[in-house]
Amino acid sequence: MNNFDFCTPTRVIFGKGVISELPEALGALGKKVLLTYGGGSIKKTGLYEKIIGLLKDFEVYELSGIEPNPKYSTSVVDGVRICKENKIEVILAVGGGSVLDCSKAIAAGAVYDGETWDLITGKVPTKGALPIVDVLTIAATGSEYDCGAVISRTETNDKTAYLDSYLFPVCSILDPTYTFTVSKKQTAAGVADAMSHVMEQYFGNPSTILNDGMCAAAIKSLMINAPVALKEPDNYDARAQIMFVCTLACNGIFSLGNGLSGWPCHGMEHALSGFYDITHGEGLAILTPRWLKHILCDKTVKRIAQFGTEIMGVKSGLSDYETATQAIRKLYDFFVSIGIPMSLKEVGIDEKRIDEMAHHIAINEGLDDPSLFAPLSEQDIKEILIASL
Ligand code: NZQ
Ligand code: ZN
């Protein structure tokens, strides 16, 4: 078991009606608030009005229209400007991973004099950030409980993961009823994203019995609850269980002490959505079974077979290779069953830019590190992308 240093300083308030805690949580951090949100779902659901009502004692500024796969040159730059011009004290992010991630980059940029992109890319160290409170409206990324922000720059096809301990939200308000209105497409994509977060942590050597058990429970919960939430969007228990797993799945708690996987499917997916602006969870669902198939070899087969018997319910008595192959098939079939388009062509990606994307991934994502569970060369990446077409 490896050494680790772990801290998640975010306060999580979870459950029906917990929005009533918002004024107290925000009030401790400041009176001048930047309210950030996306393309309008919070107005349709009535959450915007509710929040404005709760903020009557605050001075509220707004940044709306944050895009899925949030864009640097529009949303981040605008948000930083509003914060600086109005001496904002705290950011209230209401939405999904895109709104939260954009708000985290804004929070860091607001207290930095230079170009925020230099913080995002790590060219300049982050030395602080405005405090962030969020109200989550979609279960998926775990941004509400981690220190990551994924920001896209359309001009250069970059989609960069910005990780810094200053980016943890101070407080996350999680009411599963706010996810009742999430579409089938986004519900399924969110589940696939969280499953990928767990798998990116599971496929590392060495691992611990505790971590393996947490990963197994998390994936089982998602696979049991996703079909229920898709059939009955207002099933509180299913939505709540999905939300809680998603919240835990991305902050590293499932792999403390484990070896590194390098998060290869995320590294590859960030290029897909950087080049083609696709939905993150769909890209991951398409790539993951192809990645597993590609890396299956004598070195990895035992772990993939273990994934099969302990998580995917493959029956015992088969060879390791048969078990691993069945596990990959079951994973693929599950994604099909929740309605995810399972080829790149179905999400608008053809062979034209495969070479360019494989090269972009190879030089930016560090997936060839020999210490990883299954290092990937540029050629490997290209073959996985081609197999996903
Ligand atoms: O923009 P609005 O109108 O709010 O609509 C959104 C958006 O169109 C809609 N939506 C959200 N809540 C809703 C709702 N529609 C109806 N009812 C509700 N209650 O859903 C759409 C997708 O929202 P988005 O925030 O983009 O989804 P998600 O939470 O999946 O976030 C994806 C982004 O997070 C990044 C992804 O790369 C992508 O950019 N990630 C962030 C991570 C992190 N911070 O740790 C890790 C992940 O691996 C991921 O990379
Ligand atoms: Zn993800």
Side-chain angles (χ1 to χ4, degrees):
M1 184 169 168
N2 297 333
N3 295 0
F4 62 84
D5 177 344
F6 180 75
C7 173
T8 298
T10 304
R11 173 183 175 197
V12 173
I13 311 179
F14 187 100
K16 240 179 243 178
V18 292
I19 192 81
S20 59
E21 307 281 334
L22 178 62
E24 177 263 317
L26 263 186
L29 303 167
K31 284 284 171 206
K32 286 183 138 192
V33 180
L34 176 65
L35 168 63
T36 56
Y37 54 97
S41 71
I42 69 162
K43 291 206 166 157
K44 285 193 204 119
T45 60
L47 182 55
Y48 173 84
E49 291 222 337
K50 182 174 261 176
I51 285 178
I52 292 295
L54 287 166
L55 296 184
K56 58 183 184 327
D57 295 330
F58 293 81
E59 192 178 329
V60 182
Y61 298 80
E62 292 191 20
L63 174 72
S64 61
I66 296 173
E67 319 84 350
N69 299 325
K71 312 293 181 284
Y72 176 74
S73 310
T74 47
S75 300
V76 175
V77 170
D78 257 15
V80 170
R81 180 186 49 76
I82 299 171
C83 287
K84 286 184 175 171
E85 281 176 4
N86 300 289
K87 299 197 170 31
I88 293 295
E89 293 166 330
V90 52
I91 298 181
L92 173 59
V94 184
S98 295
V99 172
L100 269 63
D101 287 4
C102 183
S103 304
K104 290 174 175 182
I106 293 169
V111 298
Y112 174 61
D113 280 340
E115 179 77 39
T116 307
W117 188 249
D118 292 342
L119 302 173
I120 294 171
T121 54
K123 191 172 154 200
V124 173
T126 299
K127 298 237 171 86
L130 291 178
I132 298 170
V133 172
D134 64 81
V135 178
L136 190 70
T137 63
I138 173 173
T141 64
S143 185
E144 66 277 15
Y145 201 48
D146 73 26
C147 63
V150 185
I151 304 296
S152 296
R153 200 159 188 176
T154 320
E155 317 84 88
T156 51
N157 300 128
D158 281 310
K159 187 171 182 190
T160 302
Y162 173 27
L163 300 170
D164 195 284
S165 58
Y166 284 109
L167 305 184
F168 280 109
V170 173
C171 178
S172 291
I173 293 181
L174 311 181
D175 183 336
T177 63
Y178 296 155
T179 68
F180 287 177
T181 52
V182 175
S183 65
K184 283 190 189 327
K185 173 188 166 82
Q186 291 294 341
T187 298
V191 165
D193 186 20
M195 283 176 68
S196 173
H197 295 161
V198 180
M199 286 185 274
E200 301 275 38
Q201 294 174 84
Y202 182 83
F203 289 109
N205 274 327
S207 71
T208 68
I209 295 169
L210 176 64
N211 284 329
D212 286 357
M214 288 195 289
C215 289
I219 292 184
K220 282 182 198 165
S221 172
L222 292 169
M223 290 180 70
I224 290 169
N225 286 300
V228 179
L230 287 168
K231 203 163 156 223
E232 303 162 37
D234 56 355
N235 185 309
Y236 180 82
D237 199 53
R239 290 287 195 185
Q241 291 204 46
I242 292 171
M243 190 177 223
F244 186 42
V245 173
C246 291
T247 295
L248 291 181
C250 201
N251 81 347
I253 200 168
F254 293 158
S255 56
L256 297 176
N258 282 11
L260 299 177
S261 76
W263 289 59
C265 294
H266 275 69
M268 292 187 280
E269 198 294 315
H270 284 166
L272 300 183
S273 40
F275 279 65
Y276 288 93
D277 214 356
I278 65 166
T279 298
H280 174 64
E282 291 183 347
L284 291 167
I286 294 167
L287 288 170
T288 305
R290 277 70 179 225
W291 166 72
L292 281 169
K293 202 167 166 193
H294 185 87
I295 64 161
L296 181 59
C297 66
D298 290 354
K299 186 181 153 221
T300 59
V301 67
K302 276 215 171 325
R303 187 68 171 154
I304 302 176
Q306 189 185 353
F307 171 72
T309 49
E310 291 182 3
I311 301 184
M312 299 306 293
V314 179
K315 64 179 189 306
S316 55
L318 302 172
S319 72
D320 282 348
Y321 271 99
E322 284 167 336
T323 308
T325 305
Q326 281 209 16
I328 298 168
R329 183 78 227 173
K330 276 177 171 264
L331 181 66
Y332 181 94
D333 290 347
F334 172 73
F335 289 141
V336 171
S337 78
I338 59 170
I340 295 188
M342 284 302 286
S343 68
L344 292 182
K345 291 213 167 107
E346 285 169 81
V347 296
I349 301 178
D350 60 18
E351 48 288 321
K352 283 196 201 86
R353 301 186 78 183
I354 293 281
D355 285 347
E356 201 187 337
M357 287 195 291
H359 184 64
H360 186 95
I361 295 162
I363 59 171
N364 287 301
E365 301 291 341
L367 299 180
D368 59 350
D369 182 334
S371 68
L372 299 179
F373 174 70
L376 299 177
S377 66
E378 184 169 334
Q379 182 60 26
D380 290 316
I381 294 164
K382 188 173 159 187
E383 286 171 21
I384 294 166
L385 296 181
I386 290 171
S388 304
L389 281 169

